[in-house]
Amino acid sequence: MTLDLESVRQHWDSKAAAWANHSDTLANMADRYNLPLLDSAGLQAGDRVLDLASGVGEPAFTEARLVGPEGTIVATDLAESMLVALKIRDKAKLLHLTAADMQRLPFADASFDRVICRFGIMFVPDPLKALRDVHRVLVPSGRAAFMVWGRRDEQTMFTILSDAVQAVTGTPPDDHHFQIFRFGDPGTLTSLFKAAGFRDITEDSHSFTPLAPLDMPFWHAPLEMTFGHIVDSLTVENQKRLEGEILRRLDSVREPNGYRLKARLHIVSGSYGK
Ligand SMILES: C[S@@+](CC[C@H](N)C(=O)[O-])C[C@H]1O[C@@H](n2cnc3c(N)ncnc32)[C@H](O)[C@@H]1O
C-alpha cells in the first residue's frame, strides 16, 4: 500500500524527538551498516555527496569523515523536525542541511558524484520517480547506493516489537511500520534501479546475528523509535503488559550469553546510465 506524502511527513516529524534521544545508539552501530553501503557507492575523498532521508545523521556523518575536508555532504530529509535535530547534532558543521522530498530534488542536473540513502526509499509514495530524480542529479561518472531492510520474517527485533504491540493493542501497528519491509524481497529495488536508467547495478544482501545483552533493556531504543507514538498512548498498566510481552518473546531467542537477534538488509547500487 502507498501512503500519501503529507501523512509520511507528519509521521516522521512526530518521531524526530525519539530519534534524537537515541542518536548515540544509532551512531554506535553506524559503521556496521554504513561502510558496506558507502563502499558500494564507491565513495572517495573529495566527493560531492547527496544524502537522502538523513534522519538524525547516519550515514551522513560517516560520509563526512570519508570524503574529508575537500568533499561536501548535503544532508536532506522530508521532515523538518529531523533536520532541526540533525543541526543540533552537527556541532562541527560538517553537513549542509536542506529539506527535500526525494521525489522532487531541489538541485540542478549533474550536481553530485554520489547519492546515498539508508533506510528511506521504502517510505516514498513513488520510489521510481525518486530514483529518476536521483539519476538526474548525478554526474555522468556518478553512482548511487541505497540500503533497505529485508523481509519482515528476517528481522527478529522488528517482529518481536510489532507482535508485542499487537498483543496489547489488539490491532497491528499502523501502515507506516509495514512500509519498512516494502523492498524486503531481493530484486524488487534492483528492478526499479533498472527502470530509472541506472547501469552496472549490484545488489548485495547482508545478514547480522548480534547477541544482545540479557541484563540491559536494549530494546527500549528500537521500541521508542519505531512505536513510541503507540506506547505513549497506552495506560501505565498496558505499558507494563507490553514490556512483559516483549520479554516473553525475547525468551524464544535466548542463548546462555544473550538474545540472538537476526537482521537482514539489501544494498542496491548503480551508476549513471546515459
Ligand atoms: C528510517 S529513517 C532513516 C534515517 C537515517 N537515514 C538512518 O538510517 O538512520 C527514514 C527517514 O526517511 C525520511 N523520509 C521519508 N519520506 C521521505 C521523502 N519522500 N523524501 C525524503 N526523506 C523522506 C523520514 O523523514 C525519515 O527521517
Side-chain angles (χ1 to χ4, degrees), residues 31-58:
D31 279 359
R32 179 196 297 169
Y33 293 108
N34 297 348
L35 296 183
L37 173 65
L38 303 180
D39 193 43
S40 177
L43 199 79
Q44 291 175 359
D47 276 346
R48 291 162 296 168
V49 180
L50 172 61
D51 189 81
L52 302 172
S54 301
V56 292
E58 291 301 342

Side-chain angles (χ1 to χ4, degrees), residues 11-12 45 55 79 85 110-111 118 125 141 172 185 196 198 203-204 206-207 221-223 236 240 253 262 265 268:
H11 176 77
W12 286 102
S111 304
R118 190 183 95 163
S141 59
D185 286 330
F198 287 91
E203 173 164 342
D204 296 302
H206 297 254
S207 292
L223 179 65
V236 173
K240 286 215 174 79
V253 294
K262 282 187 312 185
L265 50 82
V268 177

Side-chain angles (χ1 to χ4, degrees), residues 93-233:
K93 303 220 178 317
L94 297 170
L95 312 175
H96 300 268
L97 306 183
T98 308
D101 167 16
M102 70 174 93
Q103 299 168 118
R104 200 181 288 266
L105 293 168
F107 306 108
D109 297 1
S111 304
F112 296 98
D113 301 302
R114 306 283 176 248
V115 180
I116 310 291
C117 182
R118 190 183 95 163
F119 302 139
I121 186 81
M122 52 277 248
F123 307 107
V124 172
D126 187 343
L128 178 56
K129 187 173 176 189
L131 288 173
R132 287 194 170 124
D133 221 26
V134 166
H135 191 266
R136 177 185 68 76
V137 301
L138 277 173
V139 297
S141 59
R143 192 164 175 86
F146 281 52
M147 177 175 274
V148 293
W149 290 109
R151 292 194 319 265
R152 181 177 186 271
D153 63 2
E154 297 172 315
Q155 323 294 342
T156 313
M157 205 61 238
F158 282 131
T159 307
I160 286 179
L161 294 178
S162 83
D163 286 352
V165 165
Q166 179 163 355
V168 172
T169 62
T171 52
D174 51 64
D175 294 332
H176 292 281
H177 173 61
F178 293 100
Q179 293 289 97
I180 291 175
F181 314 108
R182 184 172 177 189
F183 295 110
D185 286 330
T188 47
L189 185 55
T190 288
S191 59
L192 289 188
F193 262 66
K194 281 187 191 143
F198 287 91
R199 66 173 169 81
D200 298 336
I201 300 168
T202 63
E203 173 164 342
D204 296 302
S205 296
H206 297 254
S207 292
F208 301 104
T209 50
L211 204 55
L214 296 172
D215 56 350
M216 269 172 54
F218 63 89
W219 42 271
H220 278 179
L223 179 65
E224 196 186 330
M225 289 165 69
T226 314
F227 297 120
H229 57 301
I230 300 176
V231 177
D232 289 346
S233 69

